[in-house]
Amino acid sequence: MGTRRRGEELERAILHAAAEELRESGYPGMTMDRVAARAGTNKNAIYRRWPHRAALGIAAYRHLSDTVMPNPDTGTLRGDALEMLRQANETWSSPHGAVLRALLAAAADDPALLALMRERSGADTMDRA
C-alpha cells in the first residue's frame, strides 16, 4: 500500500476521477461512490471538499477548463478573441465539451445544479447589473 495522499494531490486525484466519470457516464451517472473508488479514496474525503455531487461536477469541469483552455495571449485584443473562439470551437467538439454538454443537460432538470453553474460562472452578478 502506498503513501496516503493529502491536500492538493488528493484533490487533483478526486477532480481527475470525477472528470473521467463525467466523460464516461455523464452527470447523471457520476456518483460519489464511483468517484471515490476511481480516485482511491473514500466518500468522506470528497464530501469534506465538495458538499454535494453538483459542486463536485462543477469543480471537475473547472479543473478541466484550467488545463484544457488556458487564456490566450497573442499580443492583440483581436488575436486573443479569435484564439478564444478557435479554442472554444475545438473544445466544444472534444471530450471536454462532452462534459460541459452533460452538465448543461443535467442542469435542465436540476435547479440546484443550474444555480451552482450560474454562481460559478459569474452569471448571477451579470444578471443584477
Side-chain angles (χ1 to χ4, degrees):
M1 192 156 134
T3 306
R4 186 172 170 189
R5 294 170 300 171
R6 297 177 189 267
E8 286 184 33
E9 181 184 359
L10 178 58
E11 286 185 16
R12 277 192 305 273
I14 294 168
L15 291 172
H16 179 74
E20 290 300 312
E21 285 295 321
L22 284 169
R23 281 186 188 136
E24 291 176 14
S25 307
Y27 181 74
M30 183 188 84
T31 67
M32 297 302 224
D33 286 323
R34 291 175 63 163
V35 172
R38 188 179 281 241
T41 190
N42 60 51
K43 288 193 307 185
N44 290 338
I46 297 172
Y47 281 115
R48 278 194 295 274
R49 291 160 174 82
W50 299 281
H52 45 78
R53 186 172 68 116
L56 177 58
I58 299 299
Y61 177 76
R62 290 188 69 138
H63 175 72
L64 282 173
S65 295
D66 291 344
T67 58
V68 172
M69 278 186 67
N71 290 326
D73 186 8
T74 65
T76 67
L77 177 60
R78 182 179 188 281
D80 289 354
L82 289 172
E83 181 59 19
M84 285 179 72
L85 289 171
R86 187 195 65 71
Q87 286 178 5
N89 187 41
E90 185 177 292
T91 299
W92 192 251
S93 334
S94 72
H96 179 71
V99 171
L100 178 57
R101 289 191 306 273
L103 286 170
L104 290 171
D109 297 325
D110 186 343
L113 176 60
L114 180 59
L116 189 59
M117 290 176 76
R118 292 183 75 190
E119 175 187 311
R120 299 285 193 249
S121 72
D124 279 346
T125 56
M126 291 174 25
D127 287 346
R128 289 185 217 137

